């Protein structure tokens, strides 16, 4: 399923430039699920129906039968990752879209959001969500807004190349988050504004810790500071030492306010654009602030396709052409290579790991597991607005919310799959098996939990409906030449993530269950859970597990390993926390219409990322590029590395 996710991610993603939230009303989505060849999709990116073709099968084809020799105990395995938590994958919600996806105020929470978070929390124990992003730097907490609104966008700042509208919000937003945590175990990161260090605004730190208490995981100081100068937020010459100094200013001010969060800061959140993480480490950042840092963070956009939607970015990339780049094991590992030095440095500094975020769907599973194996500790998938293609989930267009439900993208399934792969013990270690002779289309990982072999994660990136490229992995635990006793269990359980093609968007199932197609999701899994039992041959010490093309298989090596990740029951929220319920999505369209950027923004275009503030070019001028973006977006999705100080 990995690929499924992938592709879904792609599809879902179709779009914009990296992590862009565009504040301009485009034609709204319709219920069309496809459009004629040559026709152009002009609706919101998040609802683009384009489906990509799967790439051709690789030549030569990978062997369709291969063995995986495992040790029962972690003590015999070299190169295992640091201990990881099932909450590895979390979400990053752009501050400006909080009312779209999270809720309007403390007593008006969107039930699909609660349901989706509950799905993850029941597998992983908890969910990490960052509220922040490019909009955080100019956001400001005020005590009240007119009409009792909880959030309001100000005019576009014309001095700001990304034209991210400044946001004003009230403590009500923090009550919203806090009320959510009382229903589902969600822990929050908040972004501290850093646009003007001569006049710091740390109200969010003060009120954040007061209202969220233990549910506040950390405060992010600055977002992508390596791009501040390029975007005109800082004068020429602004460098890593300047950020180092500003971080210190924030810390000093927080100390003078007697805030507790001074030990929970996260940074530097470099975009790995104009600086490398090492540029910041070389300033002595970690040593100087080790008492205050809860995590080290990096963000990265591996690629973008701004050209597809905005003028002045050269030739758009055809997503169909770029698709194969995301459908093999090299995609994740090559991007992560850039950070291996940093994950090492983080560990030496007493940090157990670093995490980053970026990735889409199937690719997101492989990428997430590869990050985990490389000692990242968390990764957050970004949720932008309806104008982006990479959302794990998207609320319906504001004026259609009374009859449409949410749209859950394939990437969301990869979050569930990774949560279950790692389980709820906080103590899972990963090894990349270099399966099938290291073939890049059939990667696999083993998970050791509390020191014992617990689960296997096997991917097949190929698409072949004939079944000829499904593969069979013959698993052996101990025995043979390993010198260890035979340890293959009598049977294993297997849960599949499947879709008909890597290009498919809506026919994704995880353990036979689905969250529905476009506008169909209320955040609850539908259908019967299907977990298959595979009988092993204990005399031969083998277990044969089939992995479809395309597909992801999660193999539970014991019942304990399954209980450690499968939820016993799922809490769901239908009309809870809703003021007015017609169906499970109870957003008042009028309220939302005035709260998410549609008001007073006519004809203006802003975005939260660099260089993406131009007016959209004639939409659809290069429709295929959208999907590509999606892939790329997928990449952009995960953005941030977190090193947690345990
Ligand atoms: C929603 O708003 C868009 C843009 O204003 C409009 O094109 C669309 O027809 C509206 N949909 C409905 C169902 O009113
Ligand atoms: C929350 O928002 C709903 C919908 O706009 C509104 O009816 C309600 O009065 C708000 N509650 C508070 C406490 O502001
Ligand atoms: C949620 O937050 C509001 C503040 O708007 C508070 O008055 C209310 O008691 C909270 N509700 C719950 C269920 O905790
Ligand atoms: C920082 O952002 C606020 C908006 O929240 C704005 O009023 C202020 O002018 C900005 N300061 C600078 C130096 O850009
Ligand atoms: C790793 O980072 C350290 C500290 O910035 C630097 O001195 C060293 O050259 C880096 N090593 C590699 C292989 O990039
Ligand atoms: C595998 O992925 C890498 C990284 O994206 C890409 O450069 C390479 O072309 C892909 N290989 C194949 C055979 O598609
Ligand atoms: C991850 O950290 C462990 C423990 O420090 C180390 O043995 C392993 O080599 C690291 N993995 C990578 C890919 O750097
Ligand atoms: C996992 O870690 C979290 C955060 O530190 C903690 O709250 C939770 O109890 C831990 N779970 C287990 C099973 O130890
Ligand atoms: C995918 O789902 C759609 C809509 O439910 C359905 O029409 C289509 O036949 C499915 N495609 C496949 C290949 O199963």
């Amino acid at each position: 399923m990995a690929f499924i996710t992938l592709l879904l991610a792609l599809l879902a993603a179709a779009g914009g430039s990296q992590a862009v939230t565009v504040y301009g009303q485009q034609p709204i989505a319709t219920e069309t699920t496809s459009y004629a060849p040559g026709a152009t999709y002009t609706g919101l990116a998040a609802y683009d129906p384009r489906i990509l073709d799967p790439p051709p099968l690789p030549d030569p084809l990978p062997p369709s039968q291969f063995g995986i020799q495992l040790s029962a105990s972690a003590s015999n395995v070299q190169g295992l990752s640091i201990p990881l938590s099932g909450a590895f994958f979390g979400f990053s919600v752009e501050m400006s879209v909080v009312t779209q996806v999270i809720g309007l105020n403390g007593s008006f929470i969107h039930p699909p959001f609660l349901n989706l978070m509950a799905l993850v929390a029941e597998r992983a124990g908890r969910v990490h969500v960052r509220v922040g992003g490019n909009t955080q730097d100019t956001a400001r907490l005020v005590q009240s807004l007119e009409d009792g609104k909880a959030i309001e966008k100000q005019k576009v700042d014309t001095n700001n190349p990304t034209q991210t509208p400044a946001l004003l919000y009230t403590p009500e937003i923090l009550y919203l988050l806090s009320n959510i945590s009382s229903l589902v175990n969600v822990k929050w990161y908040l972004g501290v504004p850093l646009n003007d260090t001569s006049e710091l605004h740390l109200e969010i730190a003060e009120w954040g810790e007061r209202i969220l208490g233990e549910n506040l995981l950390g405060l992010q100081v600055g977002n992508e500071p390596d791009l501040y100068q390029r975007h005109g937020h800082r004068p020429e010459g602004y460098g890593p030492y300047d950020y180092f100094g500003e971080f210190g200013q924030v810390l000093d001010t927080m100390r003078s306010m007697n805030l507790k969060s001074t030990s929970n800061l996260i940074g530097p959140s470099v975009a790995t654009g104009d600086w490398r993480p090492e540029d910041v480490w070389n300033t002595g950042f970690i040593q100087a602030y080790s008492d205050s840092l809860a995590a080290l963070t990096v963000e990265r956009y591996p690629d973008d396709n701004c050209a597809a939607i905005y003028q002045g970015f050269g030739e758009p990339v055809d997503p169909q052409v770029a698709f194969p780049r995301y459908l093999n094991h090299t995609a994740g590992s090559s991007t992560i290579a850039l950070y291996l030095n940093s994950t090492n440095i983080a560990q030496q500094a007493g940090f157990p790991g670093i995490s980053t975020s970026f990735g889409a769907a199937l690719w997101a599973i492989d990428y997430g597991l590869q990050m985990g194996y490389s000692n990242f500790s968390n990764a957050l998938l970004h949720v932008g607005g309806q104008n982006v293609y990479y959302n794990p989930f998207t609320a319906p267009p504001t004026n259609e919310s009374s009859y449409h439900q949410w749209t859950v993208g394939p990437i969301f399934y990869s979050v569930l799959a990774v949560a279950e792969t790692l389980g709820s013990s906080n103590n899972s270690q990963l090894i990349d098996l270099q399966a099938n002779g290291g073939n890049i289309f059939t990667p696999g990982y083993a998970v050791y939990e509390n020191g014992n072999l617990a689960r296997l994660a096997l991917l097949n990136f190929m698409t072949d409906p004939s079944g000829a490229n499904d593969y069979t992995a013959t698993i052996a635990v101990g025995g043979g030449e390993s010198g260890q006793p035979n340890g293959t269990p009598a049977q294993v359980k297997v849960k599949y993530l499947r879709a008909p093609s890597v290009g498919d968007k809506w026919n994704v199932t995880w353990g036979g269950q689905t969250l529905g197609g476009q506008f169909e999701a209320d955040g609850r899994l539908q259908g019967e859970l299907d977990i298959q039992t595979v009988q092993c041959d204990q005399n031969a010490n083998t277990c044969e597990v089939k992995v479809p093309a395309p597909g992801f298989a999660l193999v539970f090596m014991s019942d304990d390993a399954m209980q450690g990740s499968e939820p016993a029951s799922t809490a769901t929220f239908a009309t809870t926390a809703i003021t007015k319920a017609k169906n499970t999505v109870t957003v008042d369209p009028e309220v939302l219409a005035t709260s998410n950027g549609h008001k007073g923004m006519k004809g203006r275009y802003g975005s939260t990322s660099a260089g993406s503030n131009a007016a959209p070019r004639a939409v659809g001028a290069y429709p295929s590029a959208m999907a590509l973006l999606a892939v790329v977006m997928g990449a952009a999705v995960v953005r941030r590395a977190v090193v947690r100080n345990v």
Side-chain angles (χ1 to χ4, degrees):
M1 297 353 240
F3 36 42
I4 294 174
T5 347
L6 243 197
L7 82 81
L8 292 184
L10 296 177
L11 298 177
S17 50
Q18 30 191 5
V20 179
T21 302
V22 178
Y23 300 93
Q25 183 63 65
Q26 291 185 13
I28 212 89
T30 65
E31 295 194 59
T32 342
T33 51
S34 63
Y35 49 96
T40 293
Y41 174 76
T42 55
L44 292 164
Y47 311 108
D48 191 330
R50 181 181 161 111
I51 306 264
L52 294 178
D53 296 327
L57 290 166
D59 181 14
L61 287 168
S64 61
Q65 307 256 357
F66 59 90
I68 296 179
Q69 174 67 55
L70 298 162
S71 290
S73 164
S75 55
N76 297 315
V77 184
Q78 299 276 307
L80 282 170
S81 72
I82 56 169
L84 299 165
S85 137
F88 182 87
F89 262 149
F91 302 95
S92 154
V93 178
E94 191 68 43
M95 207 167 238
S96 56
V97 303
V98 162
T99 50
Q100 254 178 40
V101 301
I102 299 183
L104 302 184
N105 59 46
S107 41
F108 199 111
I109 304 168
H110 299 315
F113 180 78
L114 283 178
N115 286 332
L116 293 169
M117 293 305 106
L119 288 180
V120 182
E122 281 151 5
R123 289 161 170 78
R126 62 191 187 281
V127 195
H128 294 177
V129 180
R130 172 187 77 156
V131 175
N134 288 337
T135 39
Q136 82 183 42
D137 268 338
T138 49
R140 190 162 300 171
L141 184 109
V142 295
Q143 284 311 308
S144 66
L145 288 167
E146 59 182 39
D147 305 332
K149 274 182 291 192
I151 198 163
E152 182 179 87
K153 289 195 176 75
Q154 290 185 306
K155 61 170 176 43
V156 167
D157 173 3
T158 48
N159 291 323
N160 176 346
T162 64
Q163 293 192 7
T164 303
L167 284 182
L168 295 177
Y169 58 96
T170 72
E172 189 63 34
I173 292 295
L174 299 169
Y175 285 114
L176 165 67
L177 307 185
S178 174
N179 282 1
I180 287 171
S181 296
S182 69
L183 296 166
V184 178
N185 194 13
V186 181
K187 305 286 182 188
W188 308 91
Y189 292 106
L190 296 176
V192 173
L194 200 62
N195 77 320
D196 185 356
T197 38
S198 68
E199 200 197 334
L200 286 172
H201 282 274
L202 300 179
E203 294 89 349
I204 186 158
E206 188 182 348
W207 287 84
E209 66 178 41
R210 188 180 300 173
I211 294 170
L212 292 173
E214 304 241 295
N215 294 319
L216 178 61
L217 277 182
L219 294 168
Q220 179 190 348
V221 179
N223 189 63
E224 305 180 350
D226 53 328
L227 300 179
Y228 281 170
Q229 182 196 318
R230 205 206 286 182
H231 294 173
H233 299 308
R234 292 293 189 281
E236 182 95 6
Y238 181 85
Y241 282 96
D242 297 294
Y243 173 76
F244 176 94
E246 292 180 348
F247 191 96
Q249 262 179 278
V250 171
L251 182 57
D252 288 346
T253 311
M254 285 178 66
R255 282 189 172 136
S256 69
M257 294 162 72
N258 288 318
L259 298 182
K260 287 191 236 114
S261 320
T262 46
S263 57
N264 282 336
L265 303 184
I266 62 176
S269 309
V270 292
T272 326
D274 292 351
W275 311 341
R276 291 193 151 216
E278 282 88 347
D279 295 332
V280 179
W281 314 149
N282 291 345
T283 64
F285 179 81
I286 297 172
Q287 294 85 332
Y289 301 126
S290 60
D291 290 347
S292 302
L293 286 165
L296 302 180
T297 53
V298 298
E299 304 185 4
R300 179 159 165 86
Y301 307 109
D303 201 354
D304 75 75
N305 197 19
C306 296
I309 343 181
Y310 301 103
Q311 291 165 355
F313 283 85
E315 282 300 302
V317 183
D318 182 344
Q320 187 66 60
V321 172
F323 201 19
R325 289 184 214 150
Y326 296 87
L327 295 170
N328 75 58
H329 189 50
T330 314
S333 53
S334 61
T335 319
I336 292 163
L338 190 60
Y339 298 110
L340 285 179
N341 193 23
S342 291
T343 58
N344 269 325
I345 290 170
Q347 284 192 67
Q348 285 158 20
F351 290 95
I354 271 185
S355 75
T356 238
S357 28
F358 68 93
L362 192 200
W363 171 60
I365 294 182
D366 188 41
Y367 187 63
L369 296 179
Q370 188 64 217
M371 279 193 285
Y373 163 65
S374 304
N375 297 322
F376 283 85
S377 61
N378 286 99
L380 306 180
L381 299 158
H382 196 61
V383 181
Q386 294 164 352
N387 301 77
V388 299
Y389 287 84
Y390 57 76
N391 296 320
F393 45 83
T394 310
T398 57
N399 59 348
E400 298 180 5
S401 61
S402 59
Y403 59 95
H404 271 146
Q405 302 211 18
W406 284 31
T407 301
V408 173
I411 289 185
F412 187 82
Y413 294 86
S414 60
V415 176
L416 298 184
V418 168
E420 291 183 38
T421 300
L422 295 171
S424 56
S425 68
N426 294 336
N427 202 15
S428 288
Q429 293 173 278
L430 280 170
I431 182 87
D432 181 341
L433 296 168
Q434 294 297 321
N436 204 4
N439 191 284
I440 58 176
F441 300 101
T442 57
Y445 300 81
V447 181
Y448 286 82
E449 195 167 32
N450 298 322
N452 299 315
L453 179 63
R455 293 175 278 273
L456 287 189
L458 305 173
L459 296 120
N460 187 342
F461 278 114
M462 295 177 286
T463 296
D464 182 357
S466 80
N469 284 289
D470 295 357
Y471 70 76
T472 302
T474 303
I475 300 163
V477 183
E481 292 171 11
S482 74
Q484 299 156 26
N486 283 8
T488 299
Q491 58 176 45
V492 297
K493 300 273 173 43
V494 186
K495 188 168 181 180
Y496 288 103
L497 181 65
R498 287 175 172 272
S501 153
V502 292
D504 192 276
K505 271 180 168 177
W506 309 123
N507 298 331
V508 182
T509 55
W510 173 228
Q513 297 180 301
T514 173
L515 286 152
Q518 193 173 38
F519 303 129
E520 286 177 3
D522 66 4
R524 294 180 287 186
L525 284 167
Q526 312 289 332
E528 286 296 304
L529 176 63
D530 173 19
I531 294 183
Q532 304 196 1
T533 301
V534 172
Q535 299 301 332
C536 306
D537 181 340
Q538 283 185 301
N539 290 326
N541 200 41
T542 55
C543 267
E544 298 198 338
V545 173
K546 197 163 189 172
V547 185
F552 168 74
L554 177 57
V555 185
F556 300 101
M557 298 302 291
S558 67
D559 286 350
D560 280 354
M562 192 164 84
Q563 279 149 19
S565 27
E566 281 299 304
S569 68
T570 299
T572 59
F573 302 89
T575 57
T576 344
I578 301 174
T579 50
K580 184 175 123 179
K582 201 175 194 176
N583 52 33
T584 54
V585 179
T586 56
V587 186
D588 177 339
E590 276 180 17
V591 171
L592 198 48
T594 58
S595 65
N596 72 355
H598 292 170
K599 188 178 179 180
M601 296 296 297
K602 264 202 181 102
R604 294 190 196 154
Y605 298 95
S607 82
T608 57
S609 277
S612 49
N613 58 325
R617 70 159 62 176
V619 182
Y622 199 87
S624 61
M626 302 297 270
L628 187 208
L629 256 255
V631 174
V632 174
M633 299 303 265
V637 169
V638 184
R639 7 177 310 150
R640 99 191 344 281
V642 177
V643 176
R644 307 240 34 228
N645 195 354
V646 170

